[in-house]
Amino acid sequence: MNFTQNHQTNFFKSVWTKTILLLLFFFAFANGNAQILEPVKWTSKIEKKGNNAVLIFDAVIEKDWHMYSQFTPEGGPLALEIAFKNQKGNYELIGKAKEGKTRTAYNDVFEVNETFFEGKAHIEQEIKIINPNLKTVDVDFDFQVCKEVCINSSKKFSIAVPSTFKMDEVPVVAEAKKDETKVAGIAVDTIAKAPASQIENVIKKDQELAKGDADTEIPAPAPARSLWSIFFIAFLSGFAALLTPCVFPMIPMTVSFFTKQSKSRAKGIRNAVIYGLSIIAIYVILGLIVTKIFGADALNALSTDVWFNLIFFVILVVFATSFLGAFEIMLPNSWANKADQQADKGGIIGILFMALALAIVSFSCTGPIVGTLLVEAASNGGIAPVVGMLGFSSALALPFMLFAMFPGWLNSLPKSGGWLNTVKVVLGFLELALAFKFLSNADLVLQLHFLEREVFIAIWIAIFGALTLYLFGKITLPHDSPMQHISVGRLYLGLLTLVFTMYLIPGLWGAPLKLISAFPPPPQYSESPFGVGGSGNGGGSAESIKGLPEGAELGPHGIMVFHDFEDGLAYAKEIKKPIMLDFTGYACVNCRKMENNVWSDPTVLPILKNDVVLISLYVDDKRELPKEEQFVTASGDKIITVGDKWTDFMISKYKTNTQPLYVITDLEGNNLNITKPTISYVSTEEYLHWLKEGISNFK
């Protein structure tokens, strides 16, 4: 009996021991891979189209995630890049890859209109096969997908080309082999081999963890600077153009012409409406021409080009100089004369040519405004130039139609006079201020430090200070009328510009100037990143750093940061402080939000400046490593760029592929936080608690 009891006891001990060990092993496996996410699932196929073929790529995107389009502009999140690997001698691309339904939203962190897919993505590329023996078309996708965190991912496709290319024989090719799938440039064989249910559980668990603390508010994508907002800005610009000396006096003249020449009031109203619609048509056609010539997205891409910005800086300075009275920008008189001759013929055609004559004659006033609008609208891409011209021309045409309907209103119009030239001069000052934004863009791209933040702000102070003196009557320009006194409206406008000028002055000493944050260079792009004679936010000062150590530079909010792990580790050992690893990306929007909103907090910033050594490692750094530092991982992936190196480090060490990712370690690389070894996109309170815990464990 004792033997049997002992035998049964040993048996159950053995079973329970094995079960527990098995559960522990499974938990360790699941936990080790819990942060390796693959929120985009791809398929591909090829179809026949006439004598050509169409490559079709479809993706299913996890809920709440979004993947950026190939048309997201530079300077924003990481755009989709499509590389056709075996194109030469085998096939030709017919145009650019076309995309299915996307969404566009304004990103206030990068200050660009980003375009992205939600829920699903559809991409088509037409090709012409020139090699009859072509077996496969090899395509690589590099893309970024974001939610509370961002993932830089890659996908390889090898699409079989049918030997007999007939529609009924073209197979739907399954997606590329899963063992070729990469996340952030690194193969994730473990995910490919894991059961689908396990991957879904991992994703659900990550989503629950991301919600985290109830106090943590994860913002939705930034609101779009929509086509409606472009229309509204252009509409206001049209009213501004209406109040210039080239256009305003023509309102009563034109309305009187229609009312006198028409046999009835109804016909006069009809003609005036046709006249207004003709004005709208002329400017909308101009927007269509700009979009057609440059393409719906070409100007969008040009907006970060150095020469594009320099050319438009010069153009806007010329426009501003014209508005200030140095000279008139006019189209050839012969154009206006020919339009007038056609207008004399009467009828709808005559009215159309009257509208064209207005556009030509008023060009010296409307041209600079139209040019600026087209530049700004075109930088948004798509049909924005058309929408901008629709808004501008609607405001320009509306008074002609309304005053024709109600001629009695003409008596309430203010009389033409010097105030019209004042409007023109004010617009000239605004054009001049805007011009330096384009020059600043070029300077930032080239990193010349010619137009640093202080210089830019000083220029704006000078421009708006001179505008204030002009409005107060202390400065006069060539076309100004003699003035005995200033009007109340002009006084109020002068006071407004004076307040704005005074608001700009503290910016020379490091004030953030949030009202104009989209215009001057960022604070770190300045002669004094800490502020002139100041310490920046949160302690530490320029004077307290007697030269930065080798490999260090000033990062966000004046925090000293290293971008190479070895340099940062050596410095941490020298001063005996813990290390905070920051896995980030140049195109990671939530990384910027953490830096702007959490790192800048007065309770967090002093800790980052004084108590840790910050090492920021950019996983999307495209610089190639020296040949001797390039290597191949155990799974056969080539580590070629700096970003590949830090991505491999992050995944192999911390079993995650998301950014931002923060880790606090000691000088031997051991994690200092026990409950949460790593942290990502969280609230200020949670981040501060995690930061203090890690530092206290080091001490």
Side-chain angles (χ1 to χ4, degrees), residues 36 47 113 238 246 314 441 467 491 580 586 616 641 653 670 698:
I36 302 292
E47 291 182 353
N113 279 322
C246 310
V314 173
N441 289 344
L467 175 57
L491 173 65
M580 192 183 87
Y586 293 111
S616 293
T641 68
K653 177 77 173 177
N670 301 310
F698 179 81

Side-chain angles (χ1 to χ4, degrees), residues 138-212:
D138 299 330
V139 187
D140 286 1
F141 278 21
D142 288 307
F143 57 94
Q144 186 179 71
V145 57
C146 294
K147 190 178 65 171
E148 290 88 2
V149 294
C150 293
I151 301 172
N152 299 338
S153 298
S154 298
K155 180 67 179 179
K156 292 181 179 292
F157 299 91
S158 186
I159 304 173
V161 178
S163 56
T164 306
F165 209 83
K166 295 180 180 179
M167 181 62 75
D168 58 348
E169 295 179 4
V170 178
V172 175
V173 182
E175 66 174 306
K177 294 180 181 179
K178 288 193 174 182
D179 60 3
E180 292 179 336
T181 302
K182 292 184 178 181
V183 178
I186 306 299
V188 284
D189 297 345
T190 52
I191 285 184
K193 296 171 184 175
S197 59
Q198 182 180 330
I199 297 175
E200 292 173 0
N201 290 334
V202 166
I203 293 173
K204 289 179 181 177
K205 184 177 179 182
D206 178 76
Q207 292 172 345
E208 293 171 359
L209 289 173
K211 293 179 181 177

Side-chain angles (χ1 to χ4, degrees), residues 51-73:
N51 295 325
N52 296 332
V54 178
L55 307 174
I56 300 175
F57 307 91
D58 287 295
V60 177
I61 305 170
E62 292 284 346
K63 184 180 179 182
D64 299 328
W65 291 83
H66 55 278
M67 182 182 75
Y68 292 103
S69 155
Q70 59 187 323
F71 301 120
T72 286

Side-chain angles (χ1 to χ4, degrees), residues 24 29 178 267 306 362 452-453 499 565 584 637:
L24 288 173
F29 174 81
K178 288 193 174 182
K267 188 173 181 181
V306 172
S362 64
E452 293 180 317
R453 185 179 177 86
V499 169
F565 179 75
T584 183
D637 297 298

Side-chain angles (χ1 to χ4, degrees), residues 529-531 533-545 554 557-560 605-610:
F530 290 104
S535 62
N537 296 326
S541 67
E543 289 78 7
S544 66
I545 300 179
L554 290 178
H557 314 296
I559 305 169
M560 187 180 69
L605 189 53
I607 297 175
L608 295 179
K609 282 188 172 183
N610 302 318

Side-chain angles (χ1 to χ4, degrees), residues 226-238 280 283-284 286-288 291 369-370 373-374 376-378 380-395:
S226 64
L227 294 177
W228 280 110
S229 64
I230 294 171
F231 177 89
F232 180 70
I233 293 170
F235 192 79
L236 293 179
S237 301
I280 293 173
Y283 284 100
V284 169
L286 176 61
L288 284 170
T291 304
I369 301 175
V370 169
L373 276 176
L374 284 174
E376 287 296 306
N380 288 295
I383 62 169
V386 178
V387 174
M389 289 299 94
L390 178 62
F392 177 83
S393 57
S394 297

Side-chain angles (χ1 to χ4, degrees), residues 496-527:
L496 181 64
T497 57
L498 176 60
V499 169
F500 182 68
T501 304
M502 294 176 67
Y503 170 78
L504 293 175
I505 292 173
L508 296 173
W509 284 269
L513 303 181
K514 292 184 179 180
L515 286 178
I516 61 165
S517 59
F519 288 93
Q524 59 265 31
Y525 194 80
S526 64
E527 295 178 3

Side-chain angles (χ1 to χ4, degrees), residues 103-108 112-114 219-226 229 593:
R103 181 184 162 201
T104 298
Y106 181 67
N107 187 318
D108 56 358
V112 298
N113 279 322
E114 60 187 23
R225 191 195 302 177
S226 64
S229 64
K593 288 181 178 179

